[in-house]
Amino acid sequence: MRIVTYKRIKDFSKKHADAGTPLNFWYHTVSVKKWKNLNEIKQTFNNVDYVGNHRFVFNIKGNDYRLIAIISFNAQKVYIRFIGTHKEYDKIKNIKNC
């Protein structure tokens, strides 16, 4: 999968140093995958949630952080839409449009 964009991970890791290693693990794991559906994602990340509108929520660092990504299986692209703390995630009013 091609991940757009690594800059969000880099920027977030500067603010939250303890998220750097888990986010880089997520990035490198996802970048070598060729997922075709949610079941294949769950084989890699069993705690991923599909929330609608092509958006998937990944728990990072034991659920301390959340990453929301739009995944296009046909294009093999992952668009990072949000990385934040669990508290920041809870404030999202319409996750399907995040």
Side-chain angles (χ1 to χ4, degrees):
M1 305 293 287
R2 181 166 175 254
I3 302 168
V4 183
T5 165
Y6 181 75
K7 185 177 183 322
R8 287 187 187 226
I9 289 174
K10 187 176 175 181
D11 291 346
F12 189 81
S13 296
K14 285 180 184 176
K15 294 178 186 174
H16 302 273
D18 63 327
T21 298
L23 283 169
N24 279 305
F25 173 80
W26 179 89
Y27 177 85
H28 292 292
T29 300
V30 173
S31 66
V32 298
K33 297 296 181 182
K34 295 185 185 288
W35 292 321
K36 295 179 184 162
N37 56 51
L38 174 60
N39 289 334
E40 290 184 3
I41 298 172
K42 283 196 172 275
Q43 290 174 4
T44 307
F45 297 103
N46 62 358
N47 60 1
V48 66
D49 290 314
Y50 177 68
V51 293
N53 201 23
H54 307 285
R55 281 148 175 85
F56 297 82
V57 178
F58 294 86
N59 294 326
I60 305 295
K61 193 181 172 275
N63 208 21
D64 286 349
Y65 303 104
R66 296 276 178 99
L67 183 150
I68 300 173
I70 296 174
I71 299 179
S72 173
F73 296 110
N74 291 336
Q76 289 291 289
K77 290 185 181 178
V78 176
Y79 300 90
I80 298 173
R81 301 294 297 155
F82 169 87
I83 305 173
T85 65
H86 200 287
K87 189 175 182 178
E88 292 167 336
Y89 171 84
D90 287 342
K91 291 180 183 178
I92 297 172
K93 293 183 189 218
N94 189 349
I95 196 165
K96 291 180 182 179
N97 291 318
C98 175

